[in-house]
């Protein structure tokens, strides 16, 4: 028997013929290294005696192990090549200021009628906000009644995310650490934008126009106008005395507001509304519209027509009868857990306009102009008790009479846990 030292044979199947790959390894001095030579050998060799490795029979397992080692080395070489390429790209990006662009900047949804909608940062998002108890829920319910608009309930999480983003920017030390870690303003803005768009789009039914109603969101209207360049803002403004009375009488907890003190709440209201109003003015009249709650209630048709023109959305009579669309597909979605639900189920009425008169302590009333100077700036008379907000439209007078008689329906299909719905309380938030 003729033995070929250090020979390894392996069969390889080809489409038309069969051949044998032979690896013959020659020993060298001190056996410190081996050199492999490969050539093709006619498949007839397969009939010869099995190959040996220094006198030992080569098993299929050893052949597989050798092939695995070769494959591992090739894979490692490929990985190393990719790492080097990534390092070169990163160095180029840092040197030239190149920016990686996301492959996809948006999302798609399909509604209950199988209509597909596409959303991205350039869409005309609508943001509704203001100091809590200023009519924001009524405003979004009237918008929700429009067949092409969907607002939905408060997300609660968007204002908190915006507050965190603002805190990161204010701290120079934190900003420096983030920049050094590669978490730049551009990275953060992209992440915040994607998060907000995802939450707004997916927390309710899809529609042609999406809107978000989180009262304190408009404390960041300037930043949001940068994230979403075609967005619009509706800032709800209400007599601060009415807003504060609503907070205290309905025990609506708001961070930083002492509900046991009218004076403290009015001071906090003044600070909050001043910040929002100032940002609204900076965003500009083409993108941010102040909406007085009193005028919305007294003259809903005129107010909503102005708002629809501002939003560049076609007019629809449904916005004047939001109560009829509650709980219906594509209509107004309300949750029993929201504090204003028991008020918004009613048609637009006058019940809440002057409900605060006679409840504010005398000493606070005497100092009202000094405590809340934004009242005067927004067009309210701080010394009028009660003030004259104007005369209501006939439709509103009729609605108010119906509400006083209890002539309105309580929707059966509301979200959330059951709660007692009151018919004799302040009407719109």
């Amino acid at each position: 028997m003729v033995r070929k030292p250090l020979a390894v044979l392996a069969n390889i199947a080809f489409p038309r013929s069969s051949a044998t790959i032979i690896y013959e390894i020659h020993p060298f001095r001190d056996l410190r290294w081996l050199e492999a030579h490969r050539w093709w050998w006619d498949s007839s060799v397969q009939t010869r005696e099995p190959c040996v490795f220094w006198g030992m029979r080569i098993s299929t397992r050893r052949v597989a192990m050798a092939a695995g080692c070769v494959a591992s080395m090739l894979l490692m070489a490929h990985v190393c090549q990719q790492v080097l390429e990534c390092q070169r790209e990163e160095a180029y990006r840092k040197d030239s200021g190149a920016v990686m662009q996301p492959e996809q900047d948006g999302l798609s949804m399909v509604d209950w009628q199988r209509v597909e909608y596409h959303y991205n940062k350039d869409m005309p998002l609508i943001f509704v906000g203001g100091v809590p108890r200023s009519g924001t829920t009524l405003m979004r319910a009237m918008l929700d009644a429009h067949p092409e608009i969907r607002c939905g309930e408060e997300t609660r999480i968007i204002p908190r995310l915006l507050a965190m983003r603002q805190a990161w920017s204010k701290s120079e030390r934190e900003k420096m650490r983030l920049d050094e870690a590669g978490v730049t303003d551009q990275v953060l803005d992209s992440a915040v934008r994607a998060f907000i768009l995802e939450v707004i789009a997916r927390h309710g039914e899809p529609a042609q126009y999406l809107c978000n109603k989180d009262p304190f969101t408009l404390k960041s209207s300037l930043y949001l106008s940068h994230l979403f360049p075609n967005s619009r803002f509706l800032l709800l403004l209400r007599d601060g005395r009415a807003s504060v009375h609503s907070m205290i009488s309905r025990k609506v907890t708001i961070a930083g507001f002492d509900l046991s003190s009218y004076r403290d709440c009015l001071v906090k209201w003044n600070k909050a509304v001043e910040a929002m109003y100032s940002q609204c003015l900076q965003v500009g009249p083409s993108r941010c519209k102040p909406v007085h709650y009193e005028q919305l209630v007294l003259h809903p048709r005129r107010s909503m027509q102005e708002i629809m023109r501002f939003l560049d959305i076609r007019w629809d009579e449904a916005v004047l009868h939001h109560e009829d669309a509650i709980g219906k597909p594509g209509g107004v979605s309300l949750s029993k857990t929201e504090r204003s639900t028991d008020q918004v189920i009613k048609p637009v009425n006058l019940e809440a306009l002057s409900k605060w008169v006679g409840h504010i302590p005398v000493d606070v009333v005497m100092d009202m102009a000094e405590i809340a100077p934004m009242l005067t700036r927004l067009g309210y008379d701080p010394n009028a008790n009660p003030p004259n907000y104007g005369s209501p439209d006939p439709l509103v007078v009729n609605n108010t009479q119906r509400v006083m008689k209890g002539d309105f329906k309580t929707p059966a299909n509301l979200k959330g846990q059951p709660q007692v719905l009151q018919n004799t309380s302040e009407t719109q938030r």
Side-chain angles (χ1 to χ4, degrees):
M1 178 177 63
V2 179
R3 299 185 180 276
K4 295 180 180 292
L6 299 179
V8 179
L9 275 68
N11 291 330
I12 295 181
F14 287 89
R16 298 183 179 178
S17 63
S18 177
T20 302
I21 299 178
I22 302 178
Y23 290 85
E24 183 173 6
I25 307 173
H26 302 275
F28 287 85
R29 297 175 184 178
D30 304 327
L31 298 178
R32 292 181 180 178
W33 57 282
L34 300 175
E35 178 179 355
H37 297 278
R38 182 180 68 181
W39 68 89
W40 303 100
W41 198 11
D42 187 87
S43 58
S44 62
V45 181
Q46 299 175 23
T47 60
R48 301 184 183 184
E49 183 180 357
C51 299
V52 296
F53 187 86
W54 284 100
M56 297 178 62
R57 188 177 299 275
I58 300 301
S59 65
T60 303
R61 182 179 179 183
R62 291 175 182 254
V63 173
M65 292 177 61
C69 291
V70 173
S72 298
M73 288 187 291
L74 292 174
L75 178 61
M76 182 172 292
H78 177 71
V79 171
C80 291
Q81 182 181 5
Q82 294 297 316
V83 171
L84 290 174
E85 290 180 359
C86 289
Q87 289 178 344
R88 286 195 294 267
E89 290 178 2
E90 178 66 16
Y92 169 76
R93 186 185 68 82
K94 290 182 178 180
D95 293 340
S96 63
V99 179
M100 181 182 296
Q101 297 295 333
E103 294 182 359
Q104 183 177 3
D105 186 17
L107 52 91
S108 299
M109 293 183 67
V110 179
D111 68 3
W112 61 284
Q113 295 178 316
R114 310 305 299 171
V115 177
E116 186 175 10
Y117 298 91
H118 301 277
Y119 305 126
N120 56 54
K121 68 180 181 65
D122 295 318
M123 66 178 296
L125 277 174
I126 305 167
F127 290 96
V128 177
V131 178
R133 315 308 301 171
S134 295
T136 55
T137 302
L138 174 63
M139 180 75 263
R140 79 90 172 167
M142 297 176 77
L143 291 174
D144 257 332
H146 194 289
E148 297 176 357
I149 304 175
R150 193 268 290 159
C151 296
E153 295 86 346
E154 295 179 12
T155 69
R156 299 179 60 83
I157 195 171
I158 291 179
R160 299 177 187 182
L161 175 66
L162 292 171
M164 291 174 59
R165 176 67 180 94
Q166 186 178 27
W168 295 332
S169 298
K170 284 186 176 180
S171 172
E172 294 184 3
R173 185 176 183 182
E174 185 66 16
K175 188 177 186 307
M176 179 184 68
R177 290 177 174 177
L178 291 172
D179 288 341
E180 291 178 351
V183 187
T184 62
D185 285 343
Q186 186 178 18
V187 172
L188 287 173
D189 291 349
S190 179
V192 171
R193 180 191 297 112
F195 181 89
I196 291 176
L197 183 61
E198 184 85 10
V199 170
I200 293 176
R202 297 196 186 277
H203 89 109
E205 297 178 356
Q208 183 174 349
Y209 299 97
L210 297 182
C211 108
N212 164 254
K213 194 278 287 189
D214 282 299
F216 280 122
T217 295
L218 262 68
K219 292 179 69 176
S220 303
S221 55
L222 267 176
Y223 179 61
L224 287 170
S225 68
H226 164 70
L227 294 184
F228 302 100
N230 295 317
S231 56
R232 296 291 185 272
F233 303 87
L234 296 174
L235 173 60
L236 269 293
L237 302 172
R238 186 182 184 183
D239 190 324
R241 295 163 291 190
S243 295
V244 167
H245 175 69
S246 179
M247 297 175 195
I248 294 176
S249 63
R250 294 178 63 87
K251 297 180 174 58
V252 179
T253 303
I254 303 172
F257 284 70
D258 180 4
L259 298 183
S260 66
S261 170
Y262 272 90
R263 184 180 293 269
D264 177 79
C265 287
L266 281 163
V267 170
K268 300 295 175 53
W269 170 87
N270 190 84
K271 182 178 180 181
V273 77
E274 182 179 18
M276 294 186 194
Y277 188 64
S278 174
Q279 288 209 27
C280 184
L281 295 180
Q282 293 181 63
V283 170
S286 64
R287 297 187 61 191
C288 185
K289 179 177 179 59
V291 179
H292 286 266
Y293 166 80
E294 294 80 10
Q295 300 308 308
L296 178 64
V297 170
L298 291 169
H299 313 291
R301 177 178 293 275
R302 184 177 67 194
S303 297
M304 290 305 295
Q305 286 176 341
E306 292 177 357
I307 290 170
M308 290 296 105
R309 284 195 295 269
F310 168 75
L311 298 175
D312 196 22
I313 299 175
R314 69 174 180 84
W315 171 255
D316 195 292
E317 289 286 326
V319 299
L320 301 179
H321 306 283
H322 70 278
E323 69 279 5
D324 296 333
I326 295 175
K328 296 181 179 179
V332 182
S333 175
L334 290 176
S335 170
K336 295 176 182 178
T337 60
E338 285 197 49
R339 301 301 296 270
S340 298
T341 295
D342 62 322
Q343 302 165 316
V344 178
I345 61 173
K346 306 172 185 179
V348 178
N349 64 87
L350 305 172
E351 193 178 15
L353 279 186
S354 301
K355 205 173 185 69
W356 58 270
V357 177
H359 293 278
I360 301 178
V362 176
D363 63 309
V364 177
V365 172
M366 296 297 294
D367 298 336
M368 190 62 67
E370 290 75 26
I371 295 174
M374 282 300 294
L375 286 173
T376 303
R377 187 177 177 187
L378 297 178
Y380 299 103
D381 185 352
N383 301 313
N385 293 282
N388 180 14
Y389 296 124
S391 300
D393 292 342
L395 172 66
V396 179
V397 173
N398 181 62
N399 288 345
T400 304
Q401 293 173 351
R402 288 174 49 204
V403 170
M404 298 301 291
K405 296 176 182 178
D407 182 16
F408 61 91
K409 297 179 181 179
T410 299
N413 47 350
L414 298 178
K415 296 180 180 179
Q417 299 298 320
Q419 72 175 19
V420 177
L421 299 180
Q422 304 174 3
N423 288 338
T424 58
S425 61
E426 181 186 8
T427 48
Q428 285 91 22
R429 176 173 172 178

